[in-house]
Amino acid sequence: MHIKVLKIEPGKHPVADELETSIEAFNRAVSIGADEIGKACSKKLGNSIYILYNPYGCYYDLQPNRKVGKEIIVGVFYVIGVDADYHPRSLTKREIEKYMYLFWEPETYSDSDIIENNFDMVYNSLEGLEKL
């Protein structure tokens, strides 16, 4: 099954896209630009909205992308919807427009910004994917 998502790449404007709803597909999707397939994790962004990303992106020399909360996300990430049972679902047209507006402008960060902001991200971000 495929779902409608918002794809956000470093240095680019967000685009509407589709993702297959399997762990393997999620892992491949968040590993764009990496030499190895990483592990996709999720982070709550809003009511029934999560981001899907690779918390180890900085170890694969992926480019800094956007700041979400206090964390700088490195590499590509996706905005996805989840239903009441935490299963992935397509974003609505309104949700796509809302998050496209939120993440429209690309952001830039230095290596020191990444180190300072993401020091403990590996330990704090590995929750949530098992619910998907």
Side-chain angles (χ1 to χ4, degrees), residues 32-86:
I32 293 172
D35 293 335
E36 300 176 29
I37 301 296
K39 178 177 174 152
C41 290
S42 63
K43 180 181 195 93
K44 189 169 185 171
L45 186 60
N47 189 23
S48 73
I49 303 293
Y50 283 73
I51 63 166
L52 192 64
Y53 71 111
N54 183 347
Y56 302 104
C58 56
Y59 298 115
Y60 296 116
D61 291 326
L62 297 179
Q63 296 297 311
N65 195 336
R66 307 291 201 286
K67 196 167 195 174
V68 176
K70 294 181 180 182
E71 184 176 339
I72 297 171
I73 303 299
V74 179
V76 64
F77 71 92
Y78 298 83
V79 178
I80 67 169
V82 295
D83 64 20
D85 295 321
Y86 294 100

Side-chain angles (χ1 to χ4, degrees), residues 116-127:
E116 289 175 27
N117 284 285
N118 292 356
F119 181 73
D120 63 347
M121 63 127 186
V122 171
Y123 303 105
N124 296 326
S125 64
L126 296 177
E127 56 191 52

